[in-house]
Amino acid sequence: MNDLKLPAIDYAALAPMLILFGVACLGVLVEAAVPRARRGLVQVPLGLLGLVAALVFVIAEAGTRKRTAGEAIAIDGPALFLQGAIIVLGVVALLLIAERSLEPGGPFVAQPARPVGSEADRSQAAGEGGATEAYPLVMFALAGMLLFVAANDLLTMFVALEVFSLPLYLLCALARRRRLLSQEAALKYFLLGAYASAFFLFGIALIYGYAGAITFSRIHQAVTAGTGSGVLLFAGLALLAIGLLFKAAAAPFHVWTPDVYQGAPTPITSLMAACTKTAAFGALLRVLYVGFPGATWDFRPIIGVIAILTMLVGAVLAVTQTDMKRLLAYSSIANAGYLLVGVLAMTPEGVSSTLFYLVAYGFTVIAAFAVVTLVRDADGEATHLSRWAGLGRRSPLFAGVFTFLLLAFAGIPLTSGFTSKFAVFGAAFGGGQVWLVVAGVVTSMLLAFPYLRVVVMMWLSEPGESTPSVSVPGAFTSAALVIGVLVTLLLGVLPGPLLDLTTRAGDFVR
Amino acid sequence: MTPAAVLAATPMSTGEMWVFIPLGILALVGALGMVAARNAVHSALFLVLTMLCLGVFYIVQSGPFLGVAQIIVYTGAIMMLFLFVLMLVGRDASDSLIETLRGQRVAAILLGVGFAGLVCVGLGRALAGTTAKGLAEANSAHGGNVQGLASLLFTRYVFAFEVTSALLITAAVGAMLLAHIERRKGERPTQPEQMRARFAPGNYPAPKAGPGVYATSDSVATAGLLPDGTLAARSIPEILPPRELTSSETAPKGTDR
């Protein structure tokens, strides 16, 4: 046994992931060593510093195109771009997570193990400092997402999927208010997520049976050669796609989304809506573009139907929602459909437009959830739509900001929503997928209705007795909100630089 | 194509077949029993049965390390820990089987059977012309089954292998977070405090009298009598109001004979 050699590992290329895993482990040690009152003061700078350091390494490696660690990790254009995007979006989401001035103690419950409604629970709701274990969990989740978009074989991808999912399941259960809803959301997400993971694993087994390997390059060879049983290939690809589309919240695998988005603490919802979506679509891009481009003609009609179904379900059900967080959840489902349109172009423009859309949507959705955390009354966030009526009269600034964000979701020109939708539809048109473009345009018009309804309600209704006040945001939320709104505006007015970057980052290594 | 035909299509020694058929049936019984059993302990034991059968399958398919690890680690250690926890938590807590959505169970069974049929038929067709490759080549490449596994774990999948530790840390942190209540000083009464409370004025420090001790019947509803002849409410459970019993209730039941 002397022929066993550790494969060459490019530590600089892996540094972003290693840094985040290290920061997460340090965070766990901080939980053990630092007194409770000061843990937040240590965790927030630690997390932010770690993310910035990881970003520095991603930028430094910008030109790298290679496979490393025994071909298990591919560091290429999309991987680096998505890693950078996840880190930047993670920083903004971490700002929301770290906010403590809106609610005494922050958005998390102090001791999640205390039974809901017990005397100890009532006393901790009053302002006991929230659980700081959330910070290392967020770091683990982000590190897992970085690995997920860079995994070059299905086994590494599966491990990464679990590494970023498990902390998210936990984080969903930590809400300070409406804890039963939060715990229910976490349990639903956990059970359905475990189910989806099982599908993914089964798919890996079938693909292994088909190709005799699980690295994407070998799968590509097998698909191109066309030997082996087609049933194994299609069944395996279908099961893999189910696992990935579940995380991306595409219909009919979307049913968890509204419940989980509503129950989870709002900063965590923003993290899931921005970063998880980015990671899931990054992995989907890699699977379809690197592993299975040879089967494009076979999977495109099926996933195309899923894309249309996703857009329709998101748009139609968004109309019927009465809760702001559920409305944004259905909007997130519809946006998964538009992203699938970009993915299915199966051209280099398809990759770059999808990357652009992910960044643009991520910033807008984090800013939107930041506004949701601000509209509150004595019981916490007032998310029911009727409570938002007349908000424009009471605090024109925040209603104006939210109106801008909703217009961006609706895809009005001069916002990032317009440029990103234009980019994915253009790519799909270039890829010959006119049917998807038509469905996308029609559902976009449909989806504008719920957004405009909220806008009309905020500005044209009289504020009532129950209209909640908009809290003055603390420094962290203000920063997140300003970044989100500015990027949304900037990408709408001046999308050139990011479009150039996504075009240059569109090359996968195989 | 039926599974039996698939079995016939792939070369399988007689011994392997005679191990597979009874144990395969047992594994299926265990899996179904695990889902169907109402008692959590029975479910866990059914799962143990399935896992043991799987372990034997791995060994038969020339993966001895995997099979032994399955039996020792999963069945022996993890499932036994699981049983300990079930026993500690209380094994009579069974699930409520009320359907919140009408027809959900029937629909779920139909869909499940349908999916199983789809997978069986699909795999049957897909694997009909395939010859089994076996593990012989992989096992000899590095001088043995365990060595082969080790070479995969520590070369090609070394990063994934190391990253699984993040999963374990997350699981440990999560278990602490969701299950452990940290009590600070002052939340739990100390022993001197409990003693002071016990002998404080207004509290009765001695053990309570049992029901019926000073009374004429052996019913738990019969309150003890205080020296002045009044009923001692403390001697019966709180949910029973103190009351005078009828003569038929107080009459001896004849159980001593």
Side-chain angles (χ1 to χ4, degrees):
Chain A
M1 281 316 298
N2 42 14
D3 59 338
L4 203 62
K5 271 211 306 257
L6 195 66
I9 294 178
D10 183 349
Y11 285 101
L14 300 184
M17 291 170 246
L18 297 178
I19 289 174
L20 289 196
F21 279 123
V23 165
C25 293
L26 268 182
V28 175
L29 289 182
V30 167
E31 288 300 311
V34 177
R36 183 175 285 269
R38 261 169 286 162
R39 282 178 203 166
L41 296 179
V42 182
Q43 294 279 21
V44 177
L46 183 68
L48 288 176
L49 276 180
L51 286 173
V52 170
L55 186 62
V56 168
F57 271 96
V58 168
I59 294 170
E61 291 287 320
T64 309
R65 303 284 184 271
K66 70 190 300 188
R67 292 172 302 165
T68 184
E71 302 192 1
I73 314 280
I75 302 294
D76 52 14
L80 286 165
F81 181 87
L82 288 165
Q83 288 189 339
I86 289 170
I87 291 170
V88 175
L89 292 171
V91 168
V92 185
L94 190 66
L95 291 177
L96 283 186
I97 291 169
E99 179 62 70
R100 292 236 163 176
S101 68
L102 288 175
E103 183 155 37
F108 300 114
V109 67
Q111 296 217 17
R114 283 181 180 153
V116 177
S118 63
E119 200 177 320
D121 181 44
R122 282 195 292 277
S123 77
Q124 74 179 353
E128 209 172 303
T132 44
E133 284 89 348
Y135 297 103
L137 290 179
V138 169
M139 288 296 136
F140 273 126
L142 288 173
M145 289 176 198
L146 295 196
L147 180 60
F148 195 49
V149 296
N152 193 37
D153 64 55
L154 290 170
L155 189 75
T156 311
M157 194 173 258
F158 177 71
V159 171
L161 175 75
E162 292 303 309
V163 167
F164 87 76
S165 300
L166 202 59
L168 286 178
Y169 303 145
L170 289 165
L171 287 166
C172 284
L174 300 185
R176 174 175 289 268
R177 311 281 187 156
R178 293 179 209 147
R179 287 184 56 204
L180 281 180
L181 210 59
S182 163
Q183 289 171 357
E184 186 189 331
L187 191 67
K188 268 185 191 162
Y189 194 20
F190 174 65
L191 290 178
L192 290 177
Y195 203 51
S197 294
F199 275 100
F200 190 80
L201 206 54
F202 197 12
I204 295 177
L206 295 188
I207 292 295
Y208 183 68
Y210 174 77
I214 50 171
T215 50
F216 288 131
S217 54
R218 295 275 299 279
I219 294 172
H220 176 62
Q221 282 169 13
V223 174
T224 319
T227 53
S229 154
V231 179
L232 274 185
L233 170 66
F234 300 135
L237 182 56
L239 292 171
L240 277 188
I242 288 176
L244 292 173
L245 292 176
F246 172 83
K247 283 290 165 201
F253 317 111
H254 68 284
V255 280
W256 57 277
T257 318
D259 290 346
V260 173
Y261 277 26
Q262 186 189 18
T266 309
I268 298 302
T269 312
S270 75
L271 179 79
M272 287 194 290
C275 296
T276 309
K277 191 145 283 198
T278 308
F281 272 97
L284 191 66
L285 277 176
R286 188 173 294 280
V287 168
L288 295 186
Y289 279 70
V290 183
F292 297 92
T296 303
W297 288 102
D298 301 303
F299 68 69
R300 188 140 66 181
I302 311 285
I303 301 189
V305 168
I306 288 180
I308 291 178
L309 193 65
T310 308
M311 292 186 281
L312 267 180
V313 164
V316 171
L317 290 185
V319 176
T320 63
Q321 296 310 308
T322 55
D323 184 280
M324 186 51 82
K325 280 168 94 175
R326 288 182 85 85
L327 179 85
L328 289 175
Y330 278 106
S331 136
S332 144
I333 294 170
N335 277 291
Y338 301 129
L339 281 159
L340 276 178
V341 171
V343 171
L344 287 179
M346 295 306 284
T347 55
E349 290 74 40
V351 180
S352 58
S353 65
T354 309
L355 297 181
F356 183 86
Y357 198 114
L358 283 169
V359 173
Y361 174 72
F363 278 105
T364 313
V365 81
I366 289 186
F369 279 113
V371 177
V372 172
T373 63
L374 294 179
V375 179
R376 52 198 316 137
D377 58 13
D379 293 333
E381 290 158 8
T383 51
H384 199 272
L385 274 189
S386 63
R387 309 289 306 276
W388 288 58
L391 210 65
R393 307 287 178 86
R394 194 158 281 192
S395 38
L397 174 65
F398 288 106
V401 166
F402 199 62
T403 305
F404 174 68
L405 295 170
L406 288 178
L407 292 181
F409 280 135
I412 305 294
L414 293 185
T415 62
S416 66
F418 176 75
T419 36
S420 49
K421 278 210 179 76
F422 190 78
V424 289
F425 291 161
F429 193 77
Q433 302 303 306
V434 183
W435 61 305
L436 292 178
V437 178
V438 171
V441 172
V442 170
T443 52
S444 295
M445 288 190 282
L446 202 62
L447 192 59
F449 175 70
Y451 300 138
L452 295 180
R453 192 177 58 147
V454 174
V455 171
V456 167
M457 218 157 83
M458 281 197 303
W459 291 103
L460 297 185
S461 317
E462 290 294 326
E465 285 279 301
S466 68
T467 304
S469 60
V470 176
S471 309
V472 180
F476 284 140
T477 307
S478 310
L481 196 52
V482 168
I483 295 173
V485 172
L486 276 186
V487 173
T488 305
L489 181 65
L490 206 65
L491 293 183
V493 183
L494 204 74
L498 188 66
L499 278 175
D500 285 347
L501 187 61
T502 54
T503 312
R504 271 184 285 133
D507 51 336
F508 286 103
V509 296
R510 180 172 283 138
Chain B
M1 184 172 298
T2 59
V6 177
L7 289 182
T10 48
M12 191 190 240
S13 68
T14 324
E16 190 178 348
M17 196 167 73
W18 281 109
V19 173
F20 177 77
I21 290 175
L23 287 189
I25 294 169
L26 264 187
L28 266 182
V29 167
L32 290 176
M34 187 214 139
V35 179
R38 291 207 174 188
N39 188 319
V41 174
H42 296 168
S43 271
L45 290 174
F46 274 122
L47 187 59
V48 168
L49 176 68
T50 302
M51 284 179 159
L52 281 174
C53 293
L54 290 182
V56 176
F57 290 161
Y58 297 149
I59 295 172
V60 170
Q61 294 176 352
S62 61
F65 177 74
L66 204 57
V68 173
Q70 167 90 14
I71 291 173
I72 295 178
V73 179
Y74 285 96
T75 320
I78 294 180
M79 282 314 294
M80 289 309 123
L81 272 181
F82 204 84
L83 275 178
F84 280 155
V85 172
L86 280 180
M87 298 287 187
L88 285 177
V89 171
R91 56 180 185 77
D92 44 299
S94 54
D95 300 331
S96 93
L97 289 173
I98 299 166
E99 288 184 67
T100 45
L101 299 174
R102 270 175 67 94
Q104 189 189 21
R105 204 176 311 162
V106 176
I109 290 173
L110 279 180
L111 282 176
V113 169
F115 183 69
L118 196 67
V119 169
C120 284
V121 173
L123 284 187
R125 282 180 62 87
L127 297 176
T130 318
T131 46
K133 193 170 181 187
L135 279 176
E137 189 191 331
N139 279 347
S140 59
H142 290 273
N145 180 258
V146 182
Q147 288 89 335
L149 273 180
S151 79
L152 276 182
L153 275 186
F154 293 111
T155 57
R156 197 187 298 165
Y157 301 116
V158 68
F159 198 72
F161 176 66
E162 297 291 342
V163 165
T164 47
S165 63
L167 215 51
L168 293 181
I169 298 174
T170 309
V173 171
M176 290 288 287
L177 201 56
L178 291 186
H180 173 67
I181 301 181
E182 196 174 313
R183 291 186 202 281
R184 264 156 277 165
K185 265 181 197 162
E187 280 191 26
R188 175 179 284 175
T190 58
Q191 202 269 342
E193 279 169 4
Q194 285 179 11
M195 279 300 114
R196 269 185 220 110
R198 182 176 168 192
F199 292 103
N203 195 36
Y204 183 72
K208 293 170 184 172
V213 170
Y214 306 110
T216 53
S217 100
D218 44 10
S219 160
V220 283
T222 316
L225 294 180
L226 292 173
D228 58 354
T230 54
L231 298 174
R234 194 192 285 134
S235 65
I236 56 172
E238 281 174 16
I239 52 168
L240 296 174
R243 62 188 169 98
E244 289 285 348
L245 299 181
T246 58
S247 57
S248 67
E249 280 175 320
T250 55
K253 302 286 187 299
T255 48
D256 48 335
R257 267 178 253 132

